[in-house]
Amino acid sequence: MALLQISEPGQSAAPHQHRLAVGIDLGTTNSLVASVRSGVAETFACRDGEHLLPSAVRYLACGEVEVGQVAFQAAPLDSKNTIVSVKRLMGRGHAEVQQMHLPYEFVETDSAVPRIHTVAADVSPVEVSAEILKALKLRAEETLGGELVGAVITVPAYFDDAQRQATKDAARFAGLKVLRLLNEPTAAAVAYGLDCGSEGIHVVYDLGGGTFDVSILRFSRGVFEVLATAGDSALGGDDFDQLIVDWMLQQASTGGDSLRGSRALLHQARDIKEQLSDAEQIDVNVERADGSVWQGELSREEFNQLADKLIRKTLLPCRRCLRDAGVELEDIEDVVMVGGSTRVPRVRELVGEFFQTEPLVSIDPDRVVAIGAAIQADVLAGNKPDSEMLLLDVIPLSLGLETMGGLVEKLVPRNTTIPVARAQEFTTFKDGQTAMSVHVLQGERELVSDCRSLAKFELRGIPPMVAGAARIRVTFQIDVDGLLSVVAEELSTGVKSRIEVKPAYGLVEGEIEQMLRDSFDYAKEDMAARNLREQQVEADRVLEAINAALAADGEALLSAEERVNIDAGLDVLQQARSGDQIQAIKQAIENLDQATADFAARRMDASVQKVLKGHTLDEFQR
Amino acid sequence: MGITLTEKAADHVRKFLEGRSNAEGLRLGVRTSGCSGMAYVLEFADKIESEDKVFEDHGVRVIVDAKSLLYLDGTELDFVKEGLNEGFKFNNPNVKDACGCGESFNV
């Protein structure tokens, strides 16, 4: 007979109606699948007893596809056909993946999505990811003894729209229904049940094999908000192994670095590191190139000294993250440890010291994200009686519009819960302007060129008016599924234009994954750039206005000398405007203002006279 | 008669109960549904009702309502592994025939 699991009180499923749902941690290096059975969330092992599935996919000439350990081991030998770390390629455009210096042959297609050429076929990152998901789905269905109703898949907090959509597409390819995408740090917090506790600030410290991420979350009114993220994409457990290798080579004085990159040595180093988490001291043997053997020992104390510098390197992003989030140390309730490297006792010690709180370590740090996802999946599938825990979705990156000078005006700040609608009024820049281009952008930076372009459309049929008179209201609306629609409306005439934005791939070149981090790193530069652009836009406005006035009344109202003076001022401003000295532009605008003050006064008088001509004073007094 | 648990089943139930703060024990029952008339209920029990019978085996409290007991008397709850899958199995002497998978049954 079918094997039964213990249900929540009153939640026993009808026969053949089990709502089986899983949580999936789709990682860069390893992936995991977990589910809640008999009230306990646990990750599932494959037949070999391994819980971690290496995120490697190998395409064979015969058309077969290998996933996991087998593929991972083949990677060095068959690198062109074995795709590892495909997560880094998700939602990227062709130009972006070209810059990553990967061993794959990319084929350009008409769809902006890059494809990797393998002996079997040209595959997109989404399809590669789908193979990993398929393997996990199969494992879950074998373990649970039935078909899945859906899955919660975790993504990094800094994943943008395109990367999230690509992840969803991969799930669809794998035949998995996505119940929800969940931010990785949020999943870790859910695993520890922090969503059932009081409202507060939580830190998630994630030190993986090759990357380090720290996130600060705020839990309030049933929602986890990601306040800030920071990290180092080239710092992880592998660096600890390398430290031990370097130490071994130095101790054994092998002379020369010929063994430095040796895989066997790295392997040995990792073993030593792992054993030192429990043991105080480890015997170490190093075979020199000449066959002689060096024998020694490494104590945890010594290892700590070696590792200290690396661990302290992770504390810098932590400090930055705190600053970005605007959070004080004493506000922090918990620190959740994620990633295998947080098993190193010294890491726990220093992180605990830094945040002045004992880190949470009771759940296996490799599995904690998948476990949190499984708990969430269990709720979403309807297996809990009172699903008061329904985490709302938030938008991952701010949405805004391009304004004059290539600046981004943010309409919906990141972390706003959806659904949401926001509106703002804009106006025309030039006299008689009858159309306006609406450029929708996603990102945290100040300049259009640093954000991701989502859509562009035009609002036409604005009645000709002087600059600044038209009122155009732009409304952003995001529905529960995260789909964005933008409406632009000229308020005096009711002329409307709208667009539905479906996330597209690879619209912007450069490091999208870095967008969030960059926004913090470049905050100062961005502000300076913004000030400059604003000054330039102001200069353009002044130039435009004076030129228009000169064309209209220059002949009639100005002496030759005055005219030369103003023209000189215009030249100076024109030149300053094309430079990058904010002060110079400001100064030039001020000078020009002074030079044209009389001219402006005379124009005013002239137009008043024109209006008054032929009227008596009496008419105005009535 | 009554309800018994194999040692393996008891071990697992104890483990699962540990993670819950207000559980009284494990509830077993039957209800009418499914392709062959009746289906098993296997749930955590947060309270004991007046018509419930409580058994104890291997340190696990098993709670069964009086009506269900008619169909379950003599049942042994087992915990088995089949490939990657694992879970509980009812060894119920009252069952005359069951559907293909055994999830619903007739007495």
Side-chain angles (χ1 to χ4, degrees), chain A residues 1-18 37-40 42 45-47 138-139 141-146 384, chain B residues 13 15-16 20 26 31 33-35 38-46 79-90 99 101-104:
Chain A
M1 70 172 275
L3 303 179
L4 297 174
Q5 307 296 333
I6 309 173
S7 305
E8 294 297 312
Q11 299 292 310
S12 280
H16 321 293
Q17 303 275 308
H18 301 281
R37 285 197 296 179
S38 298
V40 176
E42 53 192 357
C46 68
R47 289 179 190 283
L138 186 72
R139 183 192 292 184
E141 289 184 339
E142 275 181 33
T143 311
L144 292 168
K384 283 268 184 184
Chain B
V13 173
K15 195 183 85 194
F16 294 139
R20 306 178 62 88
L26 182 69
R31 53 183 178 152
S33 83
C35 39
M38 265 181 258
Y40 292 113
V41 168
L42 186 62
E43 290 174 0
F44 294 109
D46 285 344
F79 190 90
V80 293
K81 260 185 182 219
E82 288 175 2
L84 287 176
N85 191 4
E86 56 180 26
F88 294 94
K89 194 170 178 170
F90 284 73
C99 79
C101 65
E103 254 195 272
S104 62

Side-chain angles (χ1 to χ4, degrees), chain A residues 313-455:
Chain A
K313 237 173 120 180
T314 68
L315 299 180
L316 272 159
C318 289
R319 191 164 291 136
R320 201 168 64 221
C321 202
L322 280 174
R323 202 186 54 216
D324 290 340
V327 166
E328 300 293 328
L329 275 174
E330 56 264 28
D331 299 336
I332 292 167
E333 306 252 321
D334 301 287
V335 180
V336 177
M337 299 297 255
V338 182
S341 305
T342 59
R343 287 203 189 86
V344 175
R346 186 63 174 165
V347 171
R348 296 178 175 182
E349 226 173 279
L350 287 181
V351 170
E353 238 170 60
F354 178 83
F355 288 109
Q356 293 164 19
T357 173
E358 193 65 30
L360 297 173
V361 295
S362 59
I363 304 177
D364 184 333
D366 280 324
R367 305 182 190 179
V368 62
V369 168
I371 283 173
I375 292 172
Q376 181 74 3
D378 193 45
V379 174
L380 291 173
N383 291 327
K384 283 268 184 184
D386 42 354
S387 30
E388 77 283 347
M389 183 191 82
L390 265 188
L391 300 172
L392 292 172
D393 274 343
V394 294
I395 62 163
L397 290 165
S398 303
L399 294 167
L401 282 181
E402 171 169 0
T403 62
M404 280 307 295
L407 295 174
V408 180
E409 179 81 26
K410 285 175 194 143
L411 255 72
V412 189
R414 72 192 202 85
N415 281 327
T416 305
T417 51
I418 55 176
V420 68
R422 290 278 163 86
Q424 192 162 329
E425 280 184 23
F426 293 87
T427 187
T428 47
F429 183 75
K430 281 198 177 187
D431 291 346
Q433 183 178 342
T434 59
M436 190 160 126
S437 160
V438 180
H439 187 189
V440 185
L441 294 139
Q442 183 178 38
E444 305 311 309
R445 307 282 301 273
E446 299 286 344
L447 300 185
V448 168
S449 49
D450 295 326
C451 287
R452 166 175 276 248
S453 168
L454 288 182

